[in-house]
Amino acid sequence: MKPSISIVIPVLNESETIIKLLAHLKERAFSCDYVTQIIVVDGGSKDDTYQLVSSYSDHNPQVTVIKSAKGRAKQMNTGAAIATSSILYFLHADSYPPQDYDKHIVEQVVAGNPAGCFKMKFDSNHWWLRLAGWLTQFKWRACRGGDQSQFITAQLFKELGTFDERYIIYEDNDLINKLYAKRKFVVIQEWLTTSARRYDENGVWKLQFHFWSIYVRKWFGASAEDLHKYYLKKIS
Protein backbone atom coordinates (compact mmCIF):
# COMPACT_ATOMS: atom_id res chain seq x y z
CA MET A 1 0.00 0.00 0.00
CA LYS A 2 1.34 3.45 -0.93
CA PRO A 3 2.20 5.53 2.19
CA SER A 4 0.05 8.58 2.84
CA ILE A 5 -0.14 11.20 5.56
CA SER A 6 -2.97 12.57 7.67
CA ILE A 7 -1.95 15.84 9.34
CA VAL A 8 -3.67 16.53 12.67
CA ILE A 9 -3.59 20.11 13.99
CA PRO A 10 -5.14 20.88 17.41
CA VAL A 11 -6.26 24.51 17.65
CA LEU A 12 -7.72 26.93 20.17
CA ASN A 13 -8.24 30.57 19.19
CA GLU A 14 -5.79 30.47 16.27
CA SER A 15 -7.67 32.72 13.83
CA GLU A 16 -4.58 34.90 13.26
CA THR A 17 -2.37 32.04 12.09
CA ILE A 18 -4.32 28.96 11.00
CA ILE A 19 -4.99 29.93 7.36
CA LYS A 20 -1.33 30.91 6.95
CA LEU A 21 -0.34 27.46 8.21
CA LEU A 22 -2.79 25.65 5.92
CA ALA A 23 -1.47 27.61 2.92
CA HIS A 24 2.09 26.79 4.00
CA LEU A 25 1.32 23.06 4.16
CA LYS A 26 -0.16 23.16 0.68
CA GLU A 27 2.69 25.17 -0.83
CA ARG A 28 5.53 23.26 0.80
CA ALA A 29 4.22 19.74 0.13
CA PHE A 30 6.16 17.66 -2.37
CA SER A 31 3.06 15.88 -3.66
CA CYS A 32 -0.68 16.02 -3.08
CA ASP A 33 -0.56 12.22 -3.31
CA TYR A 34 1.27 12.07 0.02
CA VAL A 35 -0.89 14.44 2.08
CA THR A 36 -4.39 13.04 1.78
CA GLN A 37 -5.91 14.73 4.84
CA ILE A 38 -5.40 17.83 6.96
CA ILE A 39 -7.60 17.54 10.04
CA VAL A 40 -7.98 20.69 12.13
CA VAL A 41 -9.42 19.90 15.55
CA ASP A 42 -10.95 22.85 17.35
CA GLY A 43 -11.10 22.63 21.13
CA GLY A 44 -13.75 25.32 21.62
CA SER A 45 -12.30 28.50 20.14
CA LYS A 46 -13.93 31.76 21.16
CA ASP A 47 -12.75 33.51 17.99
CA ASP A 48 -13.60 32.60 14.38
CA THR A 49 -10.98 29.87 13.95
CA TYR A 50 -13.59 27.21 13.19
CA GLN A 51 -15.43 29.37 10.68
CA LEU A 52 -12.24 30.38 8.87
CA VAL A 53 -11.11 26.78 8.44
CA SER A 54 -14.57 25.68 7.42
CA SER A 55 -14.64 28.30 4.66
CA TYR A 56 -11.11 27.35 3.59
CA SER A 57 -12.09 23.69 3.37
CA ASP A 58 -14.85 24.54 0.87
CA HIS A 59 -12.13 25.13 -1.72
CA ASN A 60 -9.59 22.66 -0.34
CA PRO A 61 -11.29 19.27 0.01
CA GLN A 62 -8.35 17.60 1.76
CA VAL A 63 -8.90 19.97 4.73
CA THR A 64 -11.44 19.02 7.39
CA VAL A 65 -12.34 20.88 10.57
CA ILE A 66 -14.02 19.14 13.49
CA LYS A 67 -14.87 20.02 17.09
CA SER A 68 -13.56 18.27 20.17
CA ALA A 69 -13.38 18.59 23.92
CA LYS A 70 -10.63 21.03 24.96
CA GLY A 71 -7.17 19.62 25.62
CA ARG A 72 -4.44 18.95 23.08
CA ALA A 73 -4.26 15.21 23.84
CA LYS A 74 -8.03 14.86 23.46
CA GLN A 75 -8.03 16.94 20.30
CA MET A 76 -5.21 14.99 18.67
CA ASN A 77 -6.80 11.65 19.57
CA THR A 78 -10.10 12.86 18.12
CA GLY A 79 -8.36 13.82 14.88
CA ALA A 80 -6.40 10.57 14.74
CA ALA A 81 -9.62 8.59 15.18
CA ILE A 82 -10.97 9.81 11.83
CA ALA A 83 -7.64 9.75 10.00
CA THR A 84 -7.48 7.29 7.11
CA SER A 85 -3.77 7.45 6.21
CA SER A 86 -1.00 5.05 7.19
CA ILE A 87 1.04 7.89 8.74
CA LEU A 88 -0.14 10.45 11.30
CA TYR A 89 1.59 13.82 11.50
CA PHE A 90 0.77 15.88 14.61
CA LEU A 91 1.51 19.56 14.17
CA HIS A 92 1.11 22.62 16.37
CA ALA A 93 -0.70 25.60 14.86
CA ASP A 94 2.37 27.85 15.12
CA SER A 95 4.94 25.41 13.68
CA TYR A 96 5.86 25.47 9.99
CA PRO A 97 7.42 22.34 8.44
CA PRO A 98 10.22 22.54 5.85
CA GLN A 99 9.98 22.28 2.08
CA ASP A 100 8.95 18.77 0.96
CA TYR A 101 8.11 17.81 4.55
CA ASP A 102 5.78 15.07 3.31
CA LYS A 103 8.47 13.47 1.16
CA HIS A 104 10.94 13.48 4.06
CA ILE A 105 8.41 11.80 6.36
CA VAL A 106 7.43 9.12 3.84
CA GLU A 107 11.07 8.36 3.06
CA GLN A 108 11.80 7.76 6.75
CA VAL A 109 8.82 5.44 7.19
CA VAL A 110 9.72 3.48 4.06
CA ALA A 111 13.30 3.20 5.38
CA GLY A 112 11.97 1.54 8.54
CA ASN A 113 11.73 4.51 10.91
CA PRO A 114 8.10 4.56 12.14
CA ALA A 115 8.30 7.75 14.22
CA GLY A 116 10.22 10.98 14.59
CA CYS A 117 10.32 14.73 14.15
CA PHE A 118 12.18 17.55 12.40
CA LYS A 119 14.94 19.62 13.91
CA MET A 120 13.55 23.03 14.89
CA LYS A 121 14.42 26.70 15.01
CA PHE A 122 12.52 29.60 16.57
CA ASP A 123 11.49 32.70 14.65
CA SER A 124 13.65 34.72 17.06
CA ASN A 125 17.23 36.01 17.15
CA HIS A 126 17.54 35.64 20.93
CA TRP A 127 20.82 33.82 21.50
CA TRP A 128 19.37 31.24 23.88
CA LEU A 129 16.50 30.35 21.57
CA ARG A 130 18.95 30.05 18.68
CA LEU A 131 21.07 27.68 20.78
CA ALA A 132 18.04 25.69 21.97
CA GLY A 133 16.94 25.28 18.38
CA TRP A 134 20.41 24.25 17.23
CA LEU A 135 20.47 21.47 19.84
CA THR A 136 17.32 19.87 18.42
CA GLN A 137 19.33 18.36 15.55
CA PHE A 138 20.72 15.81 18.00
CA LYS A 139 18.85 12.71 19.11
CA TRP A 140 19.14 13.44 22.84
CA ARG A 141 15.85 12.88 24.64
CA ALA A 142 16.15 16.19 26.52
CA CYS A 143 16.06 18.08 23.19
CA ARG A 144 12.60 16.86 22.21
CA GLY A 145 9.27 18.66 22.37
CA GLY A 146 5.92 18.92 20.67
CA ASP A 147 6.83 22.11 18.79
CA GLN A 148 9.11 19.99 16.58
CA SER A 149 6.00 18.16 15.34
CA GLN A 150 5.59 14.38 15.48
CA PHE A 151 5.13 11.81 12.76
CA ILE A 152 4.21 8.24 13.64
CA THR A 153 2.66 5.35 11.77
CA ALA A 154 -1.00 4.84 12.60
CA GLN A 155 -0.24 1.26 13.59
CA LEU A 156 2.45 2.21 16.11
CA PHE A 157 0.31 5.03 17.48
CA LYS A 158 -2.44 2.53 18.29
CA GLU A 159 0.04 0.06 19.75
CA LEU A 160 1.30 2.73 22.16
CA GLY A 161 -2.23 3.54 23.27
CA THR A 162 -2.58 6.98 21.59
CA PHE A 163 -2.04 10.20 23.60
CA ASP A 164 -2.67 9.90 27.32
CA GLU A 165 -5.60 12.25 27.86
CA ARG A 166 -4.78 12.70 31.53
CA TYR A 167 -2.05 15.10 30.36
CA ILE A 168 -3.31 18.61 29.67
CA ILE A 169 0.32 19.57 29.15
CA TYR A 170 3.33 17.30 28.47
CA GLU A 171 1.22 14.99 26.29
CA ASP A 172 3.73 15.17 23.44
CA ASN A 173 6.63 14.33 25.72
CA ASP A 174 4.75 11.41 27.24
CA LEU A 175 4.37 9.83 23.80
CA ILE A 176 7.99 10.64 22.91
CA ASN A 177 9.15 8.91 26.11
CA LYS A 178 7.35 5.75 25.00
CA LEU A 179 8.96 5.95 21.56
CA TYR A 180 12.43 6.43 23.03
CA ALA A 181 11.85 3.44 25.31
CA LYS A 182 11.20 1.37 22.19
CA ARG A 183 14.19 2.96 20.38
CA LYS A 184 11.87 4.04 17.57
CA PHE A 185 12.61 7.69 16.93
CA VAL A 186 14.49 9.61 14.25
CA VAL A 187 15.24 13.33 13.86
CA ILE A 188 14.90 14.44 10.24
CA GLN A 189 17.72 16.86 9.48
CA GLU A 190 15.54 19.58 7.95
CA TRP A 191 14.52 22.77 9.76
CA LEU A 192 10.98 23.32 10.99
CA THR A 193 10.31 26.89 12.16
CA THR A 194 8.17 27.51 15.22
CA SER A 195 6.88 30.66 16.88
CA ALA A 196 8.61 32.14 19.93
CA ARG A 197 5.38 33.84 20.98
CA ARG A 198 5.15 32.09 24.36
CA TYR A 199 8.67 33.24 25.16
CA ASP A 200 7.75 36.77 24.09
CA GLU A 201 4.68 36.70 26.34
CA ASN A 202 6.33 35.16 29.42
CA GLY A 203 9.98 36.15 29.07
CA VAL A 204 12.65 33.81 27.75
CA TRP A 205 14.35 32.95 31.04
CA LYS A 206 11.17 32.71 33.06
CA LEU A 207 9.49 30.35 30.58
CA GLN A 208 12.61 28.24 30.08
CA PHE A 209 13.00 27.82 33.84
CA HIS A 210 9.42 26.64 34.22
CA PHE A 211 9.73 24.23 31.28
CA TRP A 212 12.82 22.75 32.91
CA SER A 213 10.93 22.54 36.21
CA ILE A 214 8.10 20.64 34.55
CA TYR A 215 10.58 18.24 32.94
CA VAL A 216 12.34 17.59 36.26
CA ARG A 217 9.06 17.25 38.18
CA LYS A 218 7.89 14.61 35.71
CA TRP A 219 11.23 12.82 36.00
CA PHE A 220 10.71 12.66 39.79
CA GLY A 221 7.22 11.21 39.34
CA ALA A 222 4.82 14.17 39.29
CA SER A 223 1.34 13.28 38.09
CA ALA A 224 -0.37 14.76 35.04
CA GLU A 225 -2.58 16.79 37.40
CA ASP A 226 0.41 18.13 39.34
CA LEU A 227 2.14 19.25 36.12
CA HIS A 228 -1.01 21.02 34.92
CA LYS A 229 -1.44 22.84 38.25
CA TYR A 230 2.16 24.02 38.10
CA TYR A 231 1.71 25.21 34.51
CA LEU A 232 -1.45 27.17 35.33
CA LYS A 233 0.22 28.81 38.31
CA LYS A 234 3.50 29.76 36.66
CA ILE A 235 2.90 30.22 32.90
CA SER A 236 0.48 32.58 31.17
Side-chain angles (χ1 to χ4, degrees):
M1 184 171 123
K2 185 176 180 180
S4 60
I5 303 170
S6 291
I7 303 175
V8 179
I9 309 170
V11 296
L12 184 68
N13 301 323
E14 295 288 357
S15 61
E16 293 185 9
T17 62
I18 188 60
I19 300 303
K20 178 184 175 182
L21 175 60
L22 294 175
H24 177 94
L25 292 172
K26 184 176 181 179
E27 293 166 1
R28 298 300 178 93
F30 175 79
S31 171
C32 59
D33 292 335
Y34 285 149
V35 181
T36 56
Q37 286 179 301
I38 300 177
I39 305 168
V40 178
V41 189
D42 190 281
S45 293
K46 301 301 182 183
D47 62 10
D48 57 351
T49 298
Y50 184 90
Q51 291 78 10
L52 285 171
V53 180
S54 181
S55 296
Y56 185 89
S57 68
D58 290 340
H59 306 285
N60 296 273
Q62 81 275 30
V63 176
T64 301
V65 59
I66 59 175
K67 294 184 178 181
S68 163
K70 182 181 177 181
R72 204 149 54 194
K74 293 178 181 179
Q75 290 170 243
M76 290 190 288
N77 283 343
T78 299
I82 68 166
T84 58
S85 303
S86 57
I87 304 168
L88 301 172
Y89 182 42
F90 298 102
L91 181 67
H92 289 185
D94 58 356
S95 292
Y96 296 83
Q99 181 68 44
D100 299 337
Y101 63 91
D102 52 336
K103 181 173 179 282
H104 294 302
I105 290 171
V106 168
E107 286 177 345
Q108 289 297 328
V109 171
V110 171
N113 296 312
C117 68
F118 290 99
K119 60 183 182 178
M120 178 202 78
K121 59 184 177 180
F122 289 98
D123 60 354
S124 170
N125 287 322
H126 189 285
W127 74 267
W128 170 254
L129 296 183
R130 291 177 65 184
L131 175 60
W134 180 81
L135 290 171
T136 64
Q137 67 188 289
F138 302 106
K139 203 176 178 180
W140 305 324
R141 171 64 192 86
C143 296
R144 302 281 74 82
D147 288 335
Q148 291 175 256
S149 70
Q150 172 72 62
F151 76 85
I152 183 171
T153 63
Q155 179 180 350
L156 181 56
F157 183 65
K158 291 176 182 177
E159 288 176 4
L160 293 177
T162 71
F163 286 101
D164 188 336
E165 295 184 3
R166 291 175 300 173
Y167 287 93
I168 306 301
I169 63 164
Y170 205 83
E171 74 292 329
D172 299 295
N173 297 75
D174 178 66
L175 180 66
I176 291 169
N177 286 341
K178 295 174 184 176
L179 290 169
Y180 266 72
K182 286 183 169 289
R183 299 180 183 274
K184 293 184 175 180
F185 201 93
V186 65
V187 180
I188 299 175
Q189 295 300 305
E190 299 290 338
W191 292 108
L192 170 149
T193 301
T194 194
S195 172
R197 59 183 178 175
R198 281 191 296 175
Y199 288 93
D200 293 337
E201 292 166 0
N202 290 274
V204 170
W205 299 116
K206 174 185 174 183
L207 186 60
Q208 192 63 64
F209 172 79
H210 291 313
F211 280 163
W212 280 333
S213 296
I214 288 169
Y215 184 88
V216 171
R217 286 165 184 264
K218 178 64 173 64
W219 192 73
F220 278 104
S223 68
E225 183 180 4
D226 289 338
L227 296 179
H228 187 219
K229 286 180 179 178
Y230 180 89
Y231 182 91
L232 290 177
K233 183 178 180 181
K234 300 294 186 179
I235 302 174
S236 64

